[in-house]
Amino acid sequence: MTDPENIDPARIRERRAQEELNIFSRLPAVYAASRVQGQRFLQFGGGLSIVEWRTLWDLCDAGPMTIRDLAAIQQSDHSLLSRALPEMHRKGYVTSHRDDRDKRQTIVEVTAKGRAAYEVAAPVMARRRAALREVLTEDEIRQFLALLDRVEAFLRTPADDLLDMEMAK
Amino acid sequence: MTDPENIDPARIRERRAQEELNIFSRLPAVYAASRVQGQRFLQFGGGLSIVEWRTLWDLCDAGPMTIRDLAAIQQSDHSLLSRALPEMHRKGYVTSHRDDRDKRQTIVEVTAKGRAAYEVAAPVMARRRAALREVLTEDEIRQFLALLDRVEAFLRTPADDLLDMEMAK
DNA sequence: ATATAATGCGTGACAAGTCATATAATTTTT
DNA sequence: AAAAATTATATGACTTGTCACGCATTATAT
């Protein structure tokens, strides 16, 4: 620590530009933007949380199912649902009961009130998807999804495997 | 609520398949996978947290800067850094001091110890990026980034604007 | 010159994720 | 049939991210 180096705006700008080309740096920001926008839309659609919206959508669309099914569809940890469901229950959006055949499972069902909440949010969220299709063509969306599949496959490869692979060369 | 509807595995599978084509549903899972993989790599690279890694990388690469600069590069809220920096300070990775010319700003600088931690993590993280380039060609990465730019631009459009736009048609 | 606005940062409160671990119920082994 | 493994869920602890608000400090207007 001799002379405190000075701030160099040009280097900082350069670093910023570089990070914009780094997929790993972009994903957090893109996801955060998506989450915030989703929350805003949901505000207009009755004030559901994201987890609540996803859950009502799944239940209204595919009928009753277990917590595990919900987590699988939402590609998220079941604990998110374990925590969200009591509140949804309290709000009267869902009912749940233990499965008779397999008493480990909890079967979740949407109520009339839950379906009503879904029906307020659904058109707003549908407009969101429609708006995206005005910005990206069907084909571009397909392209994006195809690349996303491959990026996701990479991201789900365990770190050890990737490091070993590199070492082996 | 007459007869409790039964679970229909086919409908659930269908719902799942449908959600795989929904960009808004995919992003959380893809980002989560990225975060977890990043954390695993960092475990191999000395045990930094993601925020710590990003911050050390920025400082080592572009020299001292303010908290605001760091947040801008990382495209995240300054509060994340406000919270992470005291711990990094305690660990001896960074020093910080108020700017003399503008006493609102805090200038953050990396220490020798911080640079050492960076140098342990950097090759591991470089291998991660190299591994991605083995799965996606340069051109595919460019394509993905180009689409990501447009998706992000969409996601940053305020919900009101998008809803108004739809109404106006 | 002084009131007003904007900026930088810290902090509290929250959402959405993860993982690890515990418990009860079911399956599989032996 | 009893022991061992697996599965479904709940829960605690943690990280990454957001927003809103308050307090200094700086910049802008009148």
Side-chain angles (χ1 to χ4, degrees):
Chain A
M1 217 95 51
T2 54
D3 200 35
E5 225 185 326
N6 280 329
I7 290 185
D8 182 343
R11 270 171 88 194
I12 293 177
R13 265 197 307 279
E14 203 180 320
R15 170 95 191 108
R16 200 166 165 179
Q18 179 195 313
E19 281 299 85
E20 260 163 42
L21 299 178
N22 179 348
I23 289 180
F24 304 119
S25 302
R26 296 289 304 271
L27 286 178
V30 171
Y31 162 63
S34 176
R35 179 151 64 89
V36 167
Q37 193 189 61
Q39 285 167 333
R40 295 285 152 75
F41 271 90
L42 284 169
Q43 274 310 101
F44 286 100
L48 294 174
S49 76
I50 289 178
V51 179
E52 287 172 342
W53 157 245
R54 288 197 300 224
T55 302
L56 290 180
W57 193 6
D58 292 340
L59 293 174
C60 289
D61 212 68
M65 62 184 90
T66 68
I67 292 183
R68 199 176 134 280
D69 291 331
L70 285 167
I73 294 175
Q74 299 177 17
Q75 291 190 254
S76 73
D77 199 88
H78 64 86
S79 59
L80 260 182
L81 289 154
S82 267
R83 287 192 169 90
L85 284 171
E87 179 66 10
M88 293 183 72
H89 202 277
R90 207 188 53 70
K91 287 183 188 162
Y93 291 159
V94 297
T95 59
S96 57
H97 59 94
R98 286 226 115 82
D99 188 352
D100 279 337
R101 268 158 305 191
D102 183 341
K103 294 197 204 86
R104 289 170 303 182
Q105 305 191 114
T106 302
I107 297 179
V108 185
E109 239 167 309
V110 69
T111 62
K113 196 169 172 195
R115 192 172 290 276
Y118 165 75
E119 262 149 24
V120 172
V124 178
M125 299 313 269
R127 273 201 290 256
R128 187 187 185 203
R129 296 190 298 280
L132 178 64
R133 285 194 299 269
E134 278 170 33
V135 167
L136 262 66
T137 66
E138 284 297 319
D139 202 57
E140 286 167 335
I141 291 180
R142 245 197 311 277
Q143 248 183 72
F144 185 66
L145 285 170
L147 287 165
L148 210 55
D149 282 341
R150 294 173 56 199
V151 170
E152 186 171 7
F154 171 82
L155 293 171
R156 294 202 185 281
T157 311
D160 340 31
D161 293 6
L162 292 171
L163 287 166
D164 289 353
M165 215 189 296
E166 294 286 313
M167 297 314 224
K169 284 201 312 190
Chain B
M1 215 96 50
T2 53
D3 201 35
E5 225 183 329
N6 279 330
I7 290 186
D8 183 342
R11 270 171 89 192
I12 293 177
R13 265 196 306 279
E14 202 181 321
R15 171 95 190 108
R16 201 167 167 179
Q18 177 194 313
E19 281 300 83
E20 260 162 43
L21 299 178
N22 180 348
I23 288 181
F24 303 121
S25 302
R26 296 292 302 272
L27 286 178
V30 170
Y31 162 64
S34 176
R35 179 151 65 89
V36 167
Q37 193 188 61
Q39 286 167 332
R40 294 286 151 76
F41 271 90
L42 284 169
Q43 274 309 102
F44 286 100
L48 295 173
S49 77
I50 289 178
V51 179
E52 286 172 343
W53 157 247
R54 287 196 301 223
T55 303
L56 290 180
W57 192 7
D58 292 341
L59 293 174
C60 289
D61 212 71
M65 62 183 88
T66 68
I67 292 182
R68 201 178 132 278
D69 291 330
L70 285 167
I73 294 175
Q74 299 177 16
Q75 290 190 254
S76 73
D77 198 86
H78 68 88
S79 60
L80 257 183
L81 289 155
S82 267
R83 288 192 169 91
L85 284 170
E87 178 67 9
M88 294 183 72
H89 203 277
R90 207 188 54 69
K91 288 183 187 161
Y93 292 159
V94 297
T95 60
S96 57
H97 59 93
R98 285 227 115 81
D99 188 352
D100 279 337
R101 269 159 303 192
D102 184 341
K103 294 196 203 88
R104 287 170 303 182
Q105 307 191 112
T106 302
I107 297 178
V108 185
E109 239 167 309
V110 69
T111 62
K113 195 169 171 194
R115 193 172 289 277
Y118 165 74
E119 262 148 24
V120 172
V124 177
M125 299 312 269
R127 274 201 289 256
R128 186 188 187 203
R129 296 190 296 281
L132 178 64
R133 285 194 299 270
E134 279 171 33
V135 167
L136 262 68
T137 67
E138 284 298 318
D139 203 58
E140 286 167 336
I141 291 181
R142 246 196 312 278
Q143 248 183 73
F144 184 65
L145 285 170
L147 288 164
L148 210 54
D149 282 341
R150 294 173 54 201
V151 170
E152 187 171 5
F154 171 82
L155 293 171
R156 293 203 186 282
T157 310
D160 339 32
D161 293 6
L162 292 172
L163 286 167
D164 289 353
M165 215 188 295
E166 294 287 314
M167 297 316 223
K169 285 202 309 193

